[in-house]
Amino acid sequence: MKPTTKTKKSVFHGLKLVQKKELTKNAFALEFEIPTNLEQSYRFQSGQYVSVKFPFHGQDYQADYSITSAPHEGKFSLGIKINSPESPSAYLYKNYKIGDVLEISEPAGRFTVETKPHEFRTIIGFCMGIGITPIISHFKSILFNEPRTRLFLFYGNKSKSETVFKEELDDLVKMHKDRLEVHYFYSQEKVNYSLYQGRLDAKKLVLIINQILHLDDTDEESTIWDAVDEVLICGKGEMIKSLANACFHHGIQKRNIHFELFDSFDSDIYPQEKEFPLIENIEVDFTLMNKKYTTTVPDNKNKLLNYLLSQDFPVPYSCKSGICGSCECKLIEGEVELLENEYLTDKEIEQGKILACMCIPLTPKIILNFDLS
């Protein structure tokens, strides 16, 4: 994941590196030892991530990486992609060895799903490239905790040689062949069956529904797709947008479509369907990193974060899509329309918390506080 600026400070601890493994030529895994006195601090749910902090070119570099182990496994592992030979992740792989200590934040993130061990469920996963990292943690956890749940994974890569965790996924299929199917898709490698050629997107989803998820052995009157309870999607923004909307248009409710973004993304995942009365010359007062700011935005034709960024205010953000929560703040005065987002809970919304990237001002003046911690 890319580094992000955050107003909520993460808590870091020094953890010893106990295993380093090359996964592909462009990806590797790190495993850390969790001391007894920090076990509570590093309890995590599948789908969460940590921030890793290390010196790079004379400065402290910080980036987020998903936890790939499952809670029941008793280990703490990360999966990391090397974007280029000169990237921070390449430096991390080359310069840290077993026994070294790295600064690792306590787990965070909301790409999680509730465990339901007594239900019969069908869960679908879509991921691309390094997007497998939170998904494999989810799938291992669900297979362990939910004996009645079946899972289908659709995993896209450029080629077989670049498929991260393929060996572990294939082993999981062998152990749980009655409950787990993994289907690999390749965009730059020829395969015998055309269905598995190309990228995962809305068009590919239709083929998957019709050719893979069509017959349900447990219910002759419906399809596997009809039985889907939850959808997990992880990858780049355009992939998430395409698949999330396709899933919704094919009958999956938005609250059951969960996604994690692995890159900056400036677009909405779902199209904005509401229209709002025009308000012009809106006064915006806000507190950010203990500083007070006052500005005027021209109107409410756009979301508040976009206006503040266009005026060069240092408002934290990563996705602009209501996924990461970096721009979370509290509405002190005024009224806004909070659009659909993947981050805030109903309780937090009741407490007045909003996401600047997903709100439309509805009053001539609003006051915000970004300093929540």
Side-chain angles (χ1 to χ4, degrees):
M1 297 181 71
K2 285 194 171 184
T4 58
T5 304
K6 300 177 182 178
T7 55
K8 293 177 287 183
K9 298 296 183 182
S10 300
V11 178
F12 285 81
H13 304 278
L15 299 183
K16 183 190 294 185
L17 181 62
V18 294
Q19 186 174 353
K20 183 172 78 170
K21 180 182 180 182
E22 183 180 55
L23 300 173
T24 67
K25 65 179 182 180
N26 294 317
F28 61 97
L30 300 179
E31 182 180 337
F32 295 91
E33 178 181 80
I34 307 298
T36 304
N37 65 310
L38 291 177
E39 285 180 352
Q40 289 295 327
S41 298
Y42 283 90
R43 292 194 183 279
F44 67 93
Q45 298 180 65
S46 290
Q48 291 193 299
Y49 65 87
V50 294
S51 297
V52 180
K53 184 163 55 176
F54 55 95
F56 181 67
H57 292 336
Q59 295 184 333
D60 275 345
Y61 178 84
Q62 182 176 323
D64 301 334
Y65 302 108
S66 289
I67 302 168
T68 57
S69 47
H72 71 273
E73 291 184 299
K75 61 181 182 178
F76 196 86
S77 302
L78 310 177
I80 299 173
K81 180 182 178 181
I82 298 175
N83 293 308
S84 73
E86 296 77 31
S87 65
S89 54
Y91 176 88
L92 177 62
Y93 182 69
K94 293 175 184 176
N95 290 278
Y96 286 85
K97 61 184 184 299
I98 292 173
D100 288 345
V101 174
L102 276 159
E103 290 292 308
I104 310 295
S105 76
E106 294 178 3
R110 301 188 178 186
F111 182 50
T112 57
V113 292
E114 183 182 355
T115 299
K116 298 182 178 180
H118 303 297
E119 293 189 13
F120 292 88
R121 298 208 289 174
T122 300
I123 296 178
I124 306 292
F126 297 97
C127 60
M128 185 179 296
I130 200 64
I132 185 60
T133 49
I135 300 288
I136 195 170
S137 177
H138 272 302
F139 273 44
K140 288 187 290 186
S141 184
I142 293 166
L143 288 168
F144 180 79
N145 290 303
E146 301 188 23
R148 295 174 173 84
T149 295
R150 58 183 177 178
L151 300 106
F152 297 83
L153 176 62
F154 303 95
Y155 181 16
N157 283 279
K158 291 180 181 178
S159 64
K160 292 178 183 177
S161 64
E162 296 182 62
T163 303
V164 183
F165 292 117
K166 188 176 189 304
E167 184 177 337
E168 185 173 357
L169 288 168
D170 291 343
D171 287 342
L172 284 172
V173 171
K174 290 175 184 177
M175 288 187 290
H176 304 278
K177 58 180 63 177
D178 58 328
R179 296 199 294 130
L180 172 63
E181 288 185 19
V182 178
H183 299 266
Y184 299 102
F185 296 77
Y186 301 111
S187 61
Q188 296 182 14
E189 182 171 326
K190 292 293 183 181
V191 294
N192 293 328
Y193 186 18
S194 61
L195 172 64
Y196 297 109
Q197 188 79 54
R199 296 179 179 273
L200 289 169
D201 56 17
K203 292 181 180 179
K204 191 69 73 176
L205 177 68
V206 175
L207 298 176
I208 289 170
I209 292 173
N210 292 330
Q211 297 184 39
I212 298 176
L213 302 177
H214 57 310
L215 297 177
D216 193 341
D217 294 336
T218 65
D219 185 351
E220 295 180 356
E221 295 184 358
S222 65
T223 67
I224 296 172
W225 181 255
D226 293 331
V228 170
D229 296 280
E230 309 285 346
V231 176
L232 304 171
I233 312 173
C234 188
K236 293 189 174 183
E238 286 300 335
M239 172 223 181
I240 292 175
K241 182 175 182 177
S242 179
L243 287 172
N245 280 278
C247 288
F248 173 66
H249 290 305
H250 284 85
I252 308 296
Q253 296 186 53
K254 290 179 181 177
R255 68 172 179 267
N256 300 119
I257 304 171
H258 315 277
F259 33 84
E260 178 81 316
L261 188 66
F262 261 67
D263 211 341
S264 296
F265 188 56
D266 290 351
S267 175
D268 293 337
I269 297 299
Y270 298 114
Q272 182 178 317
E273 297 177 351
K274 287 187 177 181
E275 292 187 3
F276 306 98
L278 178 65
I279 301 174
E280 297 181 320
N281 300 318
I282 302 165
E283 182 182 344
V284 182
D285 297 344
F286 62 97
T287 303
L288 174 64
M289 290 182 277
N290 297 317
K291 292 184 179 181
K292 294 188 180 297
Y293 299 89
T294 296
T295 189
T296 300
V297 300
D299 52 48
N300 63 345
K301 294 179 181 178
N302 208 334
K303 292 185 282 294
L304 182 60
L305 176 66
N306 292 333
Y307 281 129
L308 295 180
L309 292 177
S310 70
Q311 296 180 11
D312 295 326
F313 288 110
V315 180
Y317 77 99
S318 179
C319 69
K320 294 188 181 179
S321 308
I323 301 174
C324 71
S326 297
C327 65
E328 180 184 358
C329 55
K330 188 166 186 178
L331 180 64
I332 306 299
E333 181 182 312
E335 185 179 349
V336 302
E337 177 76 19
L338 181 63
L339 304 176
E340 290 173 315
N341 71 89
E342 182 72 3
Y343 188 82
L344 292 174
T345 64
D346 291 341
K347 184 177 181 180
E348 288 170 329
I349 294 172
E350 290 173 4
Q351 293 170 345
K353 293 181 179 179
I354 62 173
L355 299 178
C357 71
M358 298 302 290
C359 72
I360 303 291
L362 297 179
T363 51
K365 179 176 181 178
I366 60 173
I367 300 177
L368 308 172
N369 185 4
F370 286 90
D371 295 340
L372 300 178
S373 56

